[in-house]
Amino acid sequence: TRFMRPKVYSNGINKKINDSLTKSALFSTTTLKLRSERSSRSTHRRREYLSDKTVTPNQRQTSSLYEAARNAKDDFFDRLRGPNESRKVNFLEKIFNLSPSLKPWNEETLEEILLEFEKSKDVRRQSTEMGVQIMKFRSAIRKFVDEVWQENIKQCSRETLKSTYVEGGKDAVEKLLKAAFMEFSQDFMSDEDKERYNSLKQLSDLSFPAEWHPVARTIQRKIICHVGPTNSGKTYNALKCLEGANSGLYCGPLRLLAHEVFDRFNSKGIPCNLVTGEERRELEGTYVPLTSSTIEMANLQKQIDVAVVDEIQMISDTQRGWAWTQALLGLQAKEIHLCGEPSAVPLIRSICESIDEEIEVREYKRLSELEICQSSLDGDLRKIQKGDCVVTFSRKSIFSLKHEIEEATGLRCAVAYGGLPP
């Protein structure tokens, strides 16, 4: 404390400075004294325990190890405290494959979430960007928190918040509160900002996908769905229709498939362009009626006669399904051929009903029957013949098995993997 003793000024002008420094020093001195007393008391207790005649050497060693481990643990979690606490804890959970602990839902949990929400810098930033002035934001956020606590906001009732918390944790509740607050804070905007916000909200509303592509809704489209197992001829028949079209488009899930269709048409003397996310091959000096592309690169602005959309069952994929939905709703084609599995038919029917378009379903059967061999290879990869397909269940296994097959047979082995049907 001798380093913290304030310098005393003699004149009366600096009396306030003296008082302030004295209070600061007294507070720091008291804090250090309390910490010192607490530390000495705990050390004294430990010494008393270890100096007890009944304590054996093994017990002394065990106590020392326990104390060291406890100190290490306390030091470790002290390091986690700070602005990056949640990020570090999430990182540790990922490293040690731990699931985050979820506190039981009660009034204290709700109060804690609301207090954090009220102090959230992200909410303040979004509100000010939306048009709420900073002084009005403070009034709005306080009033909103009070209204939620008193259950005066319908979408933030106790039951709704509880079910959201159980399903998605604290982050899901904060997301729900943020959406409700954006609606609530409109009363604190100026008329001009409120009008701008409502127009942006209307423009970004994706509740009615049938209205996303108004030009496509003006075309009377014919939709044909080719469904069946692999090697049943469904894609072959769809491409046959595309061959004879004056203008057309093929959309596939993979660059490899788009390239295959591109080569197939050009080898037959039918000019065809290739458009993927990685390359673009456009023929020059001639009229090119057809284009082969990956589904994400489909041109929805051009009117064509025939479009073929391959692997339509991927419309339900959580990561890439948007591209198939966009193609089905937005292609400006007089005739659209959808190729894929029968499992996609109910969803396609539902979408076509929403846009008042009829769908024709053509079912196919496998052209060559699959026969199950009565005996295995007994682990001998040398028995594999040209044209065989070996299926395994991870990317690592695929590449390791490819290497083993090529060493055992001398044949080249191609690999195929991804979220596609076999």
Side-chain angles (χ1 to χ4, degrees), residues 176-221:
L176 175 64
L177 290 172
K178 189 182 293 183
F181 176 69
M182 294 306 167
E183 292 291 330
F184 180 83
S185 59
Q186 288 187 58
D187 296 336
F188 296 83
M189 295 183 193
S190 64
D191 293 338
E192 183 181 351
D193 289 330
K194 190 184 296 184
E195 184 179 353
R196 181 169 59 90
Y197 170 75
N198 289 326
S199 63
L200 288 173
K201 180 182 174 183
Q202 186 176 1
L203 287 171
S204 60
D205 185 9
L206 303 180
S207 303
F208 304 98
E211 300 176 2
W212 294 352
H213 307 280
V215 178
R217 300 289 75 80
T218 62
I219 303 173
Q220 189 61 38
R221 306 186 307 174

Side-chain angles (χ1 to χ4, degrees), residues 398-416:
I398 289 173
F399 284 102
S400 63
L401 194 56
K402 162 189 164 68
H403 181 68
E404 293 175 15
I405 291 172
E406 289 180 341
E407 280 194 342
T409 63
L411 299 173
R412 293 295 303 279
C413 182
V415 296

Side-chain angles (χ1 to χ4, degrees), residues 304-315:
I304 54 178
D305 291 336
V306 178
V308 175
V309 180
D310 208 357
E311 305 293 353
I312 187 60
Q313 74 279 351
M314 289 194 69
I315 195 172

Side-chain angles (χ1 to χ4, degrees), residues 243-245 261-273 283 286-290:
E243 274 186 27
V261 173
F262 166 76
D263 287 338
R264 171 179 174 172
F265 284 154
N266 284 299
S267 63
K268 289 184 175 183
I270 303 172
C272 179
N273 290 329
L283 304 182
T286 180
Y287 171 68
V288 184
L290 305 180

